[in-house]
Amino acid sequence: MIILEVLECLFPSNMAMLVWRMMRGMLVLGACKMMLLEFCPSQQHECLGGYTASNVQYTGTGITADLKLAGRACDFYGFDLKDLRLTVDYETESRVHLKIYDVDEQVYQIPESVLPRPGGSVSARDSALAVLIVENPFSFAVVRKSNHEAIFNTSGSDLIFESQYLRLRTSLPPNPVLYGLGEHTDPMMLLTTDYTRTFWSRDAGMVPPGTNLYGNHPVYFEHRVKSNATHAVAFINSNGMDININNTKESGQYLEYNTVGGIVDLYFLSGPGPVEVARQFTGVSGKPAMMPYWGFGFHQCRFGYGNIGNVAEVVRSYAKAKIPLETMWTDIDYMDGFKVFTLNPESFPLDKTRELVDYLHAHDQHYVMMVDPAVAYQDYPAFNEGKEEGIFMKTASGSIYRGVVWPGVTAYPDWFHDKAQAYWNGQFSSFFNESTGVDIDALWIDMNEPSNFCDYPCNPPEEFVTATEPLEPIIPASIANAQKLISEFGVDSRHSERGISKRGKSDKMKGLPGRDLINPKYSISNLGGSLSNHTVPTDLIHANGLAEYDTHNLYGTMMSATSRGAMLSRRPTKRPLIITRSTFMGAGAKVGHWLGDNVSDWGNYRRSIRHMLQFASFFQVPMVGADVCGFVGDTTETLCARWATLGAFYTFYRNHNNPWPAVGQEFYQWPMVAEAARNAINTRYRLLDYIYTAFHKQTVDGTPVLLPVMFLYPSDPETFPIHLQYFYGLSLLISPVTDEGSTEVTIYLPSDQFYDFHTLKPISGNGSYITLTNISYTEIPVHIRGGSILPLRVGGANTTTALRKLDFELLVAPDVHGQARGELYLDDGESLVQEATSEIEFWYNGKTKALEMNGTFGYDAGVRIGNLTILGGKGSVICVLDKTLKGGFTVDIKEAKCASV
C-alpha cells in the first residue's frame, strides 16, 4: 500500500506498521495530521474514487445509467456499495426526478404510503430543465435551458454511497440566496459559510437557533440574482443528516448532503419565480389540507389550568372582557396521571367536562384537547387494548419497548402496524364519543418526535422515574401522580443483539442488513446527542420491517396521518383541524403546525415570523403559528400586547403558556393587552374571508397564504433577507414593531403603490426604508398593496358563526395604473366535500370607473355586498352597492351613489 510504503521511509519497518495501524484506528489522528497531513484519514471522508457511469440510455422522457465504484472501496463510515443505478424522469415541464440507488434495492427508501410520489412523464424537449451526465468520473448537472445556468452541479466532488453514509455535493454561485432546510429558527435567508443544518426530530424546548428542532423538511429554494430566477431542490430522505453550506478556498461555495443512510432521491423544480416554485413543490409535498372556517378564529390554552372550573372561568372571563374567544383548549392536565384517553375524576369529572363542552357548542364555540403518542404502561384500557392488538413498538426480544414521558413508564404506538389505525380509531371513538365522552372539535398532538425523557439506554425506565422529582405543574397536585406500574406483565425494555440489523436479502427498500443502528460511524450534529438519546432507540424494528433508524423523522407525520383518520372516523363529513408538533415533508396535506415550546421574550417574538414563513411559504404547511405571548417563562404586558396584534396575522392564532407560577397571560389580564386583542381580533375577523380565500388558494394551487417580501419582489435584492415583514395573501404587507419598549419601526417598502390599512391613506414605495412612529401598543402597521380589492366583513363578531351572518364591503386599492382585482371564496366552512361553492373575482378599472364581479356562484352565503370604498391620492370615496353574491354584475361608479370619506 502506498501509505505504508511512505511510512516505511519515515520509520523503522516495525514502527511503520504500528503507526499505520494506529492511523487506521484513528487513535493518533491529530498527531498524524501534523506529521503527514496528506496521507491521514479525514473525518470529512476525503477518500477519492467515486463512481463511473456506463450504459447511459436516453429514453426521450428520461435517462438511465449504471454506476460502478471507481477504484478501491474506502469503507469509511460503512461499506461502499459497488453497483448503483441512476434514473432521471422528466415528470412535468417544470419538475425533474433524479434517483441514485443500489441495484438490489435493499437500501431503505421512504415508503410511498408515507409520502406518495407524483409520477408523470413529459418529453425531455418540453422540460425547462436538462440533466447532463459525465461518465468518468461520474457527475451530473441540472441546467436551466433558457439561460444554460446549472442549478445543481456535482462535478468536482465524488459521490459517496456507503451502507451508513451518503454524501452528495453541489457547487453554488458566490453569495447564494438560499431559503428553507427546516425546521429551524435561524435567519430566513440561510447563512452560507460554516453553516450546518441538522435533520433529526427532537423535543426542542425553547426552539433555540442553530439547532435541529421538531421537524424535517429537506427542501431548499435558491434565487439566482444574475438571472432573476428561482428554483427548488427537494431531497426525499428521512434518515438523520447534516446539510453543510460552506465556502472554502479549496472547494468554493457549495451545499453538501451528509446522511446516515437512504438513497439520493431528488426533485428539481424550475420556477422561475419563487411563487411558481412554491406551487410546483406541492406536486412533491401534496396540496395542503383545507381547514374549517372556525379554525381561523382566536384560540386560548394553558398548560396547568388544573380543573374544569378554572377552564370554565377563562371562558367566562373572555366573554366578560368582550374579547372574542372561538375555541378553548386544554393541555394534558385534564388527564388522570397524564395518561392519554383518561380524565382526572377529581379535577375534570366527565359530567362537568361535558357540561362545559355543551356550553361552548351552544354558544357557537369549540373545544380541543391534547393527545400524546406515548401510552402509559399501566393497567387501563388504552394500554391493555394496544397490548392485545400488538401495536406498540417492540424490542428485538419481542417485548414492548418502554420509555418515560409524562405519565411515567410508557409504550409507543407503532404507526406502521397494520392495526394501528383501527386501535387509534377505537380510542377516539370511545374517549371522544359525542354522546358518552368528550366531544372535541379538533385535535392537538404533541411529543411525537417521539420524545422520551429518559437518557439512552433508559434501562430500566423505572429507575429514571424513581430518580426524577415528580412533576406537579398544576392544582390539584394529585393529577401528576401516575398509577402504580404493572409488574406482572414481565415486559423488558432491554434489547437482545443490540443495534445490529438482521434483515434478509430478499427485503426491498427496508435497509441493508448488518448495520449498526445505534452508533453509526458518521455522527450528525444532533443537539440531543446520540441518535437514540431522549427518543426511542433507533434499533427498534417496526411491524413492517423498517428500522426506527431510518424512519425516526417520520414518526410525527405518521401519527398525524393516523390521527386525521381517527378524527374522520368520528366525523366523516367534517374537515379535521389537527395541530401537531413534529412534521416531515408532506405533513401539510394532513395537519397544521404550532411552532413549539417557545419563550416569552422579544427574541422569540421576532423569530416566530421567519419560523412561520418557513412552513407556510416553503414547506406547504400553511396552518401555522407560535404560542402567542410565549410559552416558557413570564411574559410582560407590552410584549403580550404586541404579540396579540402579531398573532392576529398568523394563520393559526392561539395564546398558550406554561403552568403556574408563571403569570397568567390570557388577553384580559391587562387593560392594554385586552384593548390590543379586541382591536387585533376585530381586524382579523373583518379580514377573515380574505384570509380564508388566500388559504383556500394554497390548498388548490400552492400559492402561499403567507409570503416573504422577496416572493413578490424577487428582482429587488433588498427584499432577500427581510424576515420581520411579510405578506398575508398577495395584498397585505404586515410590518410589526419588533423592538422592546419601542413605538416605532423601520420598514422596507418596495417600488410600488401602497395604502395604510388603518387610515386608508396612500403611500408610494420607492424601494427604500421608512420609519413609522407613534405606533400604539394596541396597533400593528398593515399596508395594502396597490392593485388589490379586499372583501371585508362590515364588522367584527364574538364568534365566526356570527361573523358569517354579516354583510361584506369591498375595499379597492388601485395600483399606479388605476387597476385592481381581488378574489372571494365561499363555502359552508366545514364540510370535507362541499356541495356548493362560490369562486368570485372582482375587477376595478380606474379609467372607466367600472367595478365588475364575475365567477361561479354555487354557494348562497345569505349576505350582500353593502358598500364599496375606493382609495386614492385625492382621498377615499365610498359608494353604495347593495348587491347580492348570487350572480355577476358590473357597476358604473360614475352613476353610483358615492361620497368622499
Side-chain angles (χ1 to χ4, degrees):
M1 292 182 290
I2 295 176
I3 296 179
L4 183 57
E5 291 174 358
V6 173
L7 290 173
E8 287 175 343
C9 295
L10 300 175
F11 302 95
S13 59
N14 59 333
M15 287 294 293
M17 181 58 71
L18 176 61
V19 171
W20 169 238
R21 288 175 178 171
M22 294 172 70
M23 290 170 60
R24 284 286 299 266
M26 304 294 285
L27 299 177
V28 291
L29 181 60
C32 164
K33 286 186 174 180
M34 289 187 288
M35 293 186 296
L36 199 65
L37 181 63
E38 63 268 32
F39 295 113
C40 291
S42 167
Q43 295 188 61
Q44 296 301 312
H45 199 319
E46 296 300 334
C47 181
L48 302 178
Y51 289 81
T52 301
S54 64
N55 192 29
V56 180
Q57 302 290 322
Y58 295 87
T59 66
T61 59
I63 306 170
T64 62
D66 298 324
L67 306 182
K68 183 170 286 293
L69 188 66
R72 68 177 181 84
C74 295
D75 299 336
F76 198 83
Y77 292 122
F79 62 85
D80 288 87
L81 279 74
K82 296 182 179 180
D83 296 295
L84 306 175
R85 185 73 171 160
L86 165 74
T87 62
V88 176
D89 294 294
Y90 296 99
E91 294 187 343
T92 71
E93 289 83 358
S94 60
R95 184 177 72 238
V96 176
H97 186 199
L98 182 148
K99 290 177 67 175
I100 301 172
Y101 55 93
D102 58 310
V103 293
D104 295 327
E105 294 188 87
Q106 291 188 47
V107 175
Y108 163 75
Q109 299 185 33
I110 296 177
E112 290 207 28
S113 61
V114 179
L115 184 65
R117 302 311 179 85
S121 181
V122 300
S123 169
R125 294 189 303 271
D126 296 329
S127 174
L129 302 174
V131 179
L132 308 180
I133 304 296
V134 176
E135 295 187 17
N136 189 15
F138 166 72
S139 68
F140 69 89
V142 181
V143 177
R144 188 185 298 279
K145 289 182 182 177
S146 62
N147 58 11
H148 309 292
E149 182 177 49
I151 65 171
F152 199 93
N153 187 357
T154 69
S155 63
S157 176
D158 292 322
L159 166 69
I160 299 172
F161 201 127
E162 295 182 344
S163 56
Q164 292 193 257
Y165 179 71
L166 180 69
R167 188 191 76 178
L168 182 72
R169 178 186 291 186
T170 178
S171 57
L172 295 172
N175 304 309
V177 180
L178 299 168
Y179 307 94
L181 298 180
E183 179 178 6
H184 63 79
T185 51
D186 299 344
M188 187 180 69
M189 191 171 83
L190 301 176
L191 303 177
T192 57
T193 303
D194 293 327
Y195 182 61
T196 297
R197 285 289 311 113
T198 298
F199 293 76
W200 190 253
S201 298
R202 72 179 186 91
D203 186 340
M206 299 188 287
V207 290
T211 69
N212 53 308
L213 302 181
Y214 308 106
N216 301 275
H217 298 263
V219 56
Y220 71 85
F221 286 39
E222 182 188 0
H223 183 71
R224 296 288 173 90
V225 178
K226 186 176 180 180
S227 60
N228 189 31
T230 306
H231 62 271
V233 181
F235 185 35
I236 313 303
N237 187 304
S238 63
N239 285 88
M241 74 177 80
D242 293 328
I243 297 181
N244 299 326
I245 305 173
N246 205 0
N247 184 11
T248 67
K249 182 178 180 181
E250 298 77 16
S251 301
Q253 186 74 61
Y254 64 85
L255 181 147
E256 180 183 86
Y257 300 96
N258 298 267
T259 83
V260 297
I263 66 167
V264 175
D265 192 345
L266 297 165
Y267 286 93
F268 300 95
L269 307 171
S270 66
V275 174
E276 291 173 285
V277 173
R279 292 170 180 156
Q280 292 159 9
F281 180 55
T282 63
V284 179
S285 67
K287 298 290 194 300
M290 187 59 185
M291 299 294 167
Y293 188 93
W294 63 263
F296 297 92
F298 168 66
H299 305 258
Q300 176 62 48
C301 186
R302 182 175 189 172
F303 178 21
Y305 279 129
N307 59 65
I308 194 66
N310 288 336
V311 177
E313 182 58 33
V314 172
V315 175
R316 285 191 290 268
S317 296
Y318 267 103
K320 183 178 179 181
K322 299 187 184 324
I323 302 173
L325 173 64
E326 184 71 19
T327 307
M328 191 67 213
W329 294 51
T330 308
D331 208 310
I332 61 172
D333 38 298
Y334 74 84
M335 301 176 186
D336 182 14
F338 297 133
K339 300 189 300 293
V340 293
F341 306 118
T342 67
L343 287 175
N344 185 290
E346 298 178 8
S347 53
F348 283 85
L350 178 60
D351 60 337
K352 294 299 182 182
T353 302
R354 284 180 54 82
E355 184 179 326
L356 174 62
V357 175
D358 289 344
Y359 173 89
L360 290 168
H361 290 169
H363 289 78
D364 297 322
Q365 294 170 292
H366 301 85
Y367 188 59
V368 180
M369 282 178 157
M370 173 184 279
V371 173
D372 290 341
V375 178
Y377 185 78
Q378 299 175 26
D379 184 9
Y380 83 113
F383 177 79
N384 295 338
E385 291 165 16
K387 179 177 180 290
E388 182 178 350
E389 294 294 337
I391 60 90
F392 294 123
M393 297 179 72
K394 296 180 176 62
T395 69
S397 66
S399 61
I400 296 173
Y401 170 74
R402 294 176 295 160
V404 177
V405 196
W406 293 109
V409 178
T410 54
Y412 294 80
D414 180 353
W415 306 118
F416 284 108
H417 196 287
D418 58 9
K419 294 183 180 180
Q421 184 69 68
Y423 164 75
W424 212 237
N425 289 0
Q427 301 307 309
F428 276 58
S429 176
S430 174
F431 185 68
F432 297 125
N433 188 279
E434 180 180 359
S435 301
T436 61
V438 184
D439 187 23
I440 59 171
D441 300 289
L443 179 67
W444 180 20
I445 53 179
D446 189 17
M447 310 297 287
N448 52 355
E449 292 72 35
S451 178
N452 184 356
F453 296 163
C454 196
D455 297 329
Y456 180 79
C458 195
N459 184 32
E462 292 84 355
E463 290 186 1
F464 180 86
V465 175
T466 302
T468 305
E469 288 293 323
L471 181 63
E472 297 182 0
I474 55 177
I475 300 172
S478 60
I479 196 168
N481 298 328
Q483 293 182 14
K484 192 174 181 180
L485 293 171
I486 303 170
S487 58
E488 59 267 25
F489 286 152
V491 182
D492 188 358
S493 66
R494 290 170 291 187
H495 301 10
S496 63
E497 300 180 77
R498 178 177 301 279
I500 303 299
S501 171
K502 300 194 296 182
R503 195 156 293 107
K505 293 184 178 180
S506 63
D507 292 326
K508 294 285 188 179
M509 305 181 193
K510 292 187 176 180
L512 291 164
R515 295 178 296 162
D516 184 342
L517 300 180
I518 292 295
N519 294 304
K521 291 183 179 179
Y522 180 77
S523 178
I524 64 172
S525 300
N526 174 30
L527 188 66
S530 69
L531 296 182
S532 298
N533 201 41
H534 291 166
T535 187
V536 300
T538 47
D539 64 345
L540 299 186
I541 305 300
H542 290 277
N544 65 348
L546 295 178
E548 180 66 8
Y549 176 92
D550 298 310
T551 63
H552 167 84
N553 287 339
L554 303 177
Y555 194 91
T557 288
M558 293 201 65
M559 181 189 182
S560 297
T562 308
S563 298
R564 181 177 175 86
M567 290 294 285
L568 284 170
S569 74
R570 295 177 60 244
R571 296 180 176 180
T573 64
K574 305 296 185 184
R575 294 173 187 152
L577 169 60
I578 301 170
I579 300 297
T580 185
R581 191 166 78 176
S582 183
T583 59
F584 188 76
M585 189 184 297
K590 305 170 185 68
V591 295
H593 173 59
W594 105 98
L595 300 176
D597 296 341
N598 61 357
V599 179
S600 299
D601 63 27
W602 288 88
N604 276 263
Y605 164 85
R606 288 187 290 269
R607 288 192 290 272
S608 74
I609 300 171
R610 64 203 197 200
H611 197 176
M612 171 182 66
L613 289 176
Q614 281 179 49
F615 280 88
S617 308
F618 302 111
F619 304 153
Q620 290 294 334
V621 186
M623 193 64 165
V624 61
D627 284 344
V628 171
C629 300
F631 178 74
V632 177
D634 289 340
T635 193
T636 64
E637 182 177 7
T638 53
L639 174 60
C640 200
R642 287 286 187 222
W643 217 326
T645 63
L646 173 60
F649 290 95
Y650 297 162
T651 44
F652 176 57
Y653 183 24
R654 185 187 68 173
N655 181 329
H656 178 47
N657 75 322
N658 62 338
W660 290 298
V663 299
Q665 63 186 38
E666 293 80 11
F667 288 156
Y668 53 76
Q669 298 283 359
W670 301 275
M672 178 195 294
V673 178
E675 182 183 352
R678 283 189 287 266
N679 291 344
I681 296 172
N682 182 72
T683 299
R684 179 182 177 91
Y685 281 17
R686 291 191 65 213
L687 285 164
L688 205 62
D689 291 271
Y690 166 81
I691 293 170
Y692 190 71
T693 299
F695 193 97
H696 174 259
K697 187 174 183 65
Q698 184 159 2
T699 70
V700 173
D701 69 7
T703 301
V705 61
L706 304 172
L707 308 94
V709 180
M710 175 267 177
F711 268 39
L712 298 186
Y713 299 92
S715 61
D716 183 352
E718 285 292 330
T719 67
F720 297 168
I722 292 175
H723 58 220
L724 295 178
Q725 295 174 258
Y726 61 97
F727 277 90
Y728 207 129
L730 301 177
S731 300
L732 294 179
L733 178 61
I734 314 302
S735 306
V737 176
T738 54
D739 291 330
E740 182 177 7
S742 179
T743 56
E744 63 181 43
V745 61
T746 299
I747 69 170
Y748 184 76
L749 284 182
S751 295
D752 211 337
Q753 180 65 52
F754 293 92
Y755 301 83
D756 187 301
F757 177 81
H758 302 294
T759 67
L760 306 184
K761 293 181 179 178
I763 177 171
S764 296
N766 59 4
S768 63
Y769 290 89
I770 64 170
T771 298
L772 307 178
T773 60
N774 299 318
I775 304 167
S776 165
Y777 280 96
T778 63
E779 299 174 356
I780 183 171
V782 178
H783 291 87
I784 308 168
R785 188 185 184 207
S788 303
I789 298 178
L790 302 180
L792 306 176
R793 296 286 180 171
V794 296
N798 284 330
T799 66
T800 60
T801 298
L803 182 69
R804 289 172 64 88
K805 298 175 182 178
L806 300 181
D807 285 343
F808 283 97
E809 59 181 335
L810 299 181
L811 191 60
V812 178
D815 61 17
V816 293
H817 305 292
Q819 310 297 305
R821 69 175 300 273
E823 298 177 342
L824 176 63
Y825 171 76
L826 298 170
D827 65 14
D828 70 15
E830 62 177 3
S831 294
L832 188 65
V833 178
Q834 292 290 325
E835 293 185 2
T837 64
S838 293
E839 297 189 51
I840 301 169
E841 288 188 315
F842 303 100
W843 299 85
Y844 173 75
N845 188 319
K847 294 180 180 179
T848 63
K849 303 297 182 183
L851 175 77
E852 181 180 356
M853 183 177 86
N854 281 311
T856 62
F857 303 92
Y859 179 75
D860 183 3
V863 297
R864 306 173 70 85
I865 302 176
N867 296 327
L868 164 73
T869 301
I870 304 170
L871 310 186
K874 297 181 179 179
S876 300
V877 175
I878 186 168
C879 305
V880 177
L881 283 183
D882 193 26
K883 296 289 186 180
T884 72
L885 290 162
K886 297 180 180 180
F889 61 77
T890 300
V891 172
D892 186 341
I893 303 301
K894 298 187 297 294
E895 298 180 1
K897 183 179 180 181
C898 301
S900 299
V901 179

